Every structure is written in structure tokens, then in C-alpha cells.
Amino acid sequence: MEPTPEGALSGTPYPPLIRTLLWQRGVHSVSDAADFLFESNPPEHDALLLPELEAALFRIKSGIEAGERFAVFGDFDADGLTATAILTESLTELGANVFAHIPNRFTDGYGLSEGAVDMLHKQGARVIITADCGTGSVREVERARELGMDVIVLDHHLAPDELPGTVATINPKREDCRYPDTELASVGLAFKLCEALHHLLGRSFDPSRYLDLVALGTVADMAPLRGENRWLVSRGLAALRGTARPGLLALMEVSGLMPGSADAEAIGYVLGPRLNAAGRISNGRLALDLLLCREKAAATRLAEELNALNQERQRRTAAAMDLAGLLLADELEAPLLFVGHPDISSGIVGLVAGRLAEQHGRPAIVYETGETLSRGSARSIEGFDITAALRSEGHRFVQFGGHRQAAGFTAETGRLPDIKEALLALAADQLAGVDHSPTIRIDAELPVRLLGGEEIRWLSKLAPFGQTNPEPTFLSRGVRVAESKVMGADGAHLRLKLKDGPVVWPGIAFGFGELSPGPGSVLDVVYSLKAERGTEGALELQVKDFAPAGGPSG
Ligand SMILES: [Mn+2]
């Protein structure tokens, strides 16, 4: 018989609601529960268990001692940028001669290229450290060795069979990885490497100086918030709330985010997109400069620039969504959405794919159609490994790589029809019988009138919420609308006051403006708890769905 939450987690001091939520997150034993709530030893592991980390440490140490020049070559997304920032700052502090390079998505493409290797060599690099790329760069690393350079790869993308000839390829996704947690993002790996390097050199290491960056990169990269990632992000959010980095303070200021209210959601929706906008629209270097900036005026200028790029990113994404909708009009029932156009910029194909996958509940592949080569991105749904799908057609791609849920590729434009046909057949096979209709996951029934300080305190212990640790979502029946106002420029949203028994809660319902329920109506409400925007400490209900009370349940 399946043990019940109450049974398996009995003997714990947690209220029944918390036991249920833990159970639904796969926490099925008393000791796992203590781990999840950070009540036992923190889920930190010995960095030396990471593949070839030790070789990397000694190569960096000898390079510093010999005065050799280091190049950090980072990816242009938030994970790559934050990893690059930690490596650059930390190595500089240890006395290394180091410079950073972020490739341009539009002229250089993703990852290490032979052109980039030559350029780093010309700039005097003797050791290249990659951040968030490089695992598949066999040819490029070979080129670096021909030029007399050593390469250290720091990456977490799925590892191909043939690894590059590096000094060290630090990637927890390697088959031979003995590190107990395989989900660290590249910024987490950079943090562990720098911490270990400080210890090796007998220098003290202040984690709080770098953990703000670890939280940013890990959450923005959508790494699972479990195990060591969740521990790092939890501490990292505290560091972010108290950050001294002028760049992050300026970015929060232009975004209207109070440092004290920075949480994982703020990274996902506010800070992450602004850092990523640089690489999507212009050049990722801008965002790296912001992270490393030490001076307030320059930080403000860079933050404003990123904010403007983010607005341009939003405009392009909305236009591309409209275009993709037109192009896919007859194919929305296909098991996999596959769409491309010259007007869909390669900087935003991942965002468009992500929205299509979410809206339609099926994997989506979106590319910018180029004259000879096309660049694209894929986003998937649970139960369909998109990188494995690309690999099954690997011979048809110039380049591809990624994770289970997200991938990127380059292909010859002429081969795309065949690729589409093959991937559609594969998805039809693997997703046969899958229900694609959108659903809202409800954790438990929790009447609004029972929300008190005790419940709220316990719920906050389950944070940070995000990938694989979704924010708890509840159902409350028979809630009375005390007040209802449309809000937003086009009246798209609702601001509510909801009354349950003697209790009144403020609430917000995004996208429900057209359904404005009259005062006095009685609703069944699906909600989660949110910090009120622009305040510190106050909570409101985020209403995710509602229906007249007493309707069909389930
Ligand atoms: Mn990454």
C-alpha cells in the first residue's frame, strides 16, 4: 500500500498542510523533509568530486604563479554571464592576469568557435576557461592546443560521447560524474571552483560576495530548484537582497524592484530577462559589464540600456508570436510545433518556442530562416526529451545541444523540411495519448479564512519556488467578492477584495479583466500567496482561476 503523507511524515513537527505539500514534491521520508527544510546538514557537496576539478585547480594555480594570461569565454545568457563574472572577479582577486570575452550571438553564434580561439590567442591568452559552453567543442579545443593554449571547460550541457581534449572538462552531466548532484548550473560550478581555488591557495573566501550571482544565473537558467541548487539559491537570494553590486542595485532600481523583495520570481520575470536581453538583441557584453561594474553612474547608464533592450525584446517577441500564430494556423493540432521565418530573430526564437510550448502543451521548435543556415531553439513539455529527439536526427544538423527541456541548433535551411517530418513522426509516436489541454495543478484545498501567520511562516520555508518546486497553489470554495476593479492599461487584469467568513484578503487576477465578477458574487478560487508588488512584507492572493461557487469540482 502507498504510505500516506500523514503516515510517512508522522513524527515530524510540521502541520498537515506542510506534510501534504512536501509529499507532493516527492519528499517522502522524515530525513528528506528535514533536508528539504534545511533543518539538517545543508545539501553541499565536496567540489573535488566534480569531474577533473582538481586538474583545473592546479592548472589555474600554476598559471597564476607563472603570470600567464587567462581568458574566460562565457555564454551570452544569464547563466554564462554570471559564471563569467564570478570567474573573472575571483581570479583577478587571486592575482591572476585575466580578461573576459562574451561572443556575439549574431556574428559568432553559440559557444566556442575556431575564430574565437584565434582571437583569444592574439590577445595573449595561455589558458581559456569556458563558462556555460564548450562540452562539445572538440575541434575548437584542438585548435587551441595547436596554438599552445590549454582549455578548461566549465559547463552543464548534456555531454556527447566524445569529450574535447581539455585540461579539465568540469561538467556534472558527464557519464563518469561522481558528484552527487548533477543539476548544478554553470554559475554554481563557477562558484564551487572559485571557493575550492581560494582554499587551495590558502585564501579566505566570502561566499556572500558571489552568491547573489549564483541565485541570478541558476534561476534564470531554469535549473531545478532542488538539492544544492535550492540551497545556493536560498542563500543567494539573501545575498541579492543585501547586494553591494552597483550594477544589480541599478538594475533593480530601473525595474522598480525593491532589493528587499527580490525573490526567485523577480529573477525569473524581472532581472533575468533584462540580463538576457543584451545577448538577444545586441551584445551580452553589456550585461557582463553591468555585473562587474564598480561605479554607480556607469551602472545606472548600463541598467537603463538593458531596460531599453528588454523593451525591444518584448516588442519583437510579441510580433514574432503573432507571425508564428499565422504560420501555424493549420498545424496547431500537430504533436510538435515547428515553425520558422526570416523575420523571427534568432535572438528570441527560444522565447517564442517557450511560449508556444506553454500555450499549446506540446514541444515547439522555432527558427530564424536564413539563406543557407538557420538557427533555432526548441522547448519541450514534460515527458519529451527534446535534446534526445534532436540527437536522433543528429546527422541532419550542423550543430545542436541542450537539456531535456530546452535545446538550440543550427541546420542547413534546405534540410529543415526533412527534419520537421522526422521530428513530427517521433513526437506523434512518443506523445500518443497525451492530453495537451492546459491544466492548473492544485496542491490542496485551503480556505482563505484559515490563512494565518502560522501557515504563512511554514509556507515560506518551502521557498524558493521555481523549476521542480512549484509555488503551492490552493483551492478555496465559496469566497465572496467584496470588491472588483479592472486594472492595467487595457483593463486586462483584475484587482479584487475577497471575503471568506470574517476575513478579507486583497487579490490580483492577471488576464481575467474581461470576466470581472460583480461584488457579492460567490466564487471557488484557485490561488497562491504573493508578496504584494512594490511593498515589503505585505501579502496578497494571486488568483489563478475562478468559477461560480458550487460548480463541478476536480
Ligand atoms: Mn546554463
Side-chain angles (χ1 to χ4, degrees), residues 75 77 79-80 132 155-157 185-186 221 403:
D75 184 34
D77 77 2
D79 187 27
D132 203 34
D155 191 13
H156 69 138
H157 290 89
S186 295
D221 213 53
H403 311 286

Side-chain angles (χ1 to χ4, degrees), residues 138-372:
V138 174
R139 210 175 52 236
E140 295 78 5
V141 170
E142 186 56 44
R143 172 78 187 151
R145 293 181 64 178
E146 283 164 20
L147 294 169
M149 295 189 286
D150 283 332
V151 181
I152 294 167
V153 163
L154 196 82
D155 191 13
H156 69 138
H157 290 89
L158 289 175
D161 293 337
E162 189 192 3
L163 292 172
T166 57
V167 170
T169 299
I170 305 167
N171 184 332
K173 296 269 165 45
R174 281 174 60 154
E175 291 251 318
D176 60 352
C177 177
R178 291 187 301 135
Y179 196 76
D181 193 323
T182 59
E183 298 292 349
L184 285 180
S186 295
V187 71
L189 296 171
F191 175 82
K192 304 283 293 190
L193 172 80
C194 290
E195 186 177 38
L197 187 62
H198 276 74
H199 292 159
L200 177 70
L201 297 175
R203 300 278 293 267
S204 69
F205 181 77
D206 177 7
S208 68
R209 283 187 48 200
Y210 301 102
L211 280 166
D212 49 357
L213 297 175
V214 177
L216 271 172
T218 302
V219 174
D221 213 53
M222 306 221 280
L225 292 190
R226 301 298 287 261
E228 191 165 10
N229 278 343
R230 186 161 160 273
W231 170 243
L232 290 170
V233 169
S234 171
R235 290 197 297 158
L237 288 170
L240 182 60
R241 288 179 200 123
T243 188
R245 284 180 193 277
L248 292 181
L249 288 168
L251 195 62
M252 289 194 257
E253 172 139 33
V254 300
S255 320
L257 180 70
M258 292 208 236
S261 63
D263 59 6
E265 195 178 4
I267 294 175
Y269 290 95
V270 180
L271 301 175
R274 283 168 174 78
L275 291 175
N276 280 323
R280 293 189 187 287
I281 304 292
S282 160
N283 194 322
R285 178 81 215 187
L286 279 174
L288 179 68
D289 289 345
L290 176 102
L291 296 177
L292 293 175
C293 184
R294 290 173 177 269
E295 201 249 314
K296 191 164 184 265
T300 302
R301 187 175 45 74
L302 286 163
E304 281 166 358
E305 206 168 335
L306 288 183
N307 210 35
L309 288 171
N310 188 50
Q311 284 165 2
E312 173 62 14
R313 188 272 306 169
Q314 287 171 324
R315 198 192 60 71
R316 286 192 197 178
T317 308
M321 280 300 289
D322 290 345
L323 181 55
L326 287 174
L327 295 168
L328 284 168
D330 299 330
E331 297 173 48
L332 289 173
E333 296 304 313
L336 178 147
L337 305 177
F338 195 99
V339 64
H341 193 277
D343 290 346
I344 302 180
S345 160
S346 61
I348 56 159
V349 288
L351 297 173
V352 176
R355 285 205 198 162
L356 287 173
E358 193 186 304
Q359 282 178 9
H360 300 283
R362 52 200 85 211
I365 293 179
V366 181
Y367 55 92
E368 176 182 341
T369 315
E371 256 171 54
T372 47

Side-chain angles (χ1 to χ4, degrees), residues 278-510:
R280 293 189 187 287
I281 304 292
S282 160
N283 194 322
R285 178 81 215 187
L286 279 174
L288 179 68
D289 289 345
L290 176 102
L291 296 177
L292 293 175
C293 184
R294 290 173 177 269
E295 201 249 314
K296 191 164 184 265
T300 302
R301 187 175 45 74
L302 286 163
E304 281 166 358
E305 206 168 335
L306 288 183
N307 210 35
L309 288 171
N310 188 50
Q311 284 165 2
E312 173 62 14
R313 188 272 306 169
Q314 287 171 324
R315 198 192 60 71
R316 286 192 197 178
T317 308
M321 280 300 289
D322 290 345
L323 181 55
L326 287 174
L327 295 168
L328 284 168
D330 299 330
E331 297 173 48
L332 289 173
E333 296 304 313
L336 178 147
L337 305 177
F338 195 99
V339 64
H341 193 277
D343 290 346
I344 302 180
S345 160
S346 61
I348 56 159
V349 288
L351 297 173
V352 176
R355 285 205 198 162
L356 287 173
E358 193 186 304
Q359 282 178 9
H360 300 283
R362 52 200 85 211
I365 293 179
V366 181
Y367 55 92
E368 176 182 341
T369 315
E371 256 171 54
T372 47
L373 290 180
S374 291
R375 287 205 189 116
S377 248
R379 295 290 181 275
S380 195
I381 57 172
E382 218 174 299
F384 189 79
D385 183 337
I386 193 75
T387 297
L390 298 185
R391 187 174 297 127
S392 73
E393 295 299 316
H395 59 288
R396 300 188 206 257
F397 290 98
V398 175
Q399 188 193 41
F400 71 93
H403 311 286
R404 281 183 64 84
Q405 297 297 303
F409 66 85
T410 306
E412 286 174 31
T413 301
R415 306 194 83 162
L416 287 166
D418 286 346
I419 292 174
K420 176 179 178 178
E421 192 182 337
L423 292 178
L424 252 70
L426 187 75
D429 187 46
Q430 280 187 28
L431 295 172
V434 168
D435 180 3
H436 297 287
S437 54
T439 52
I440 299 181
R441 183 193 49 80
I442 296 173
D443 285 288
E445 192 160 337
L446 179 62
V448 170
R449 65 179 179 279
L450 297 186
L451 274 176
E454 182 72 1
E455 287 72 25
I456 291 165
R457 193 178 63 80
W458 274 106
L459 285 172
S460 71
K461 289 183 149 212
L462 301 181
F465 303 117
Q467 293 298 311
T468 71
N469 182 31
E471 64 178 354
T473 301
F474 305 112
L475 169 66
S476 183
R477 297 183 195 272
V479 178
R480 187 170 295 275
V481 177
E483 213 177 287
S484 167
K485 285 183 192 152
V486 293
M487 59 171 272
D490 45 2
H493 315 304
L494 281 180
R495 179 158 284 296
L496 300 161
K497 286 218 160 56
L498 297 171
K499 187 167 159 55
D500 186 25
V503 182
V504 179
W505 271 86
I508 188 148
F510 291 110

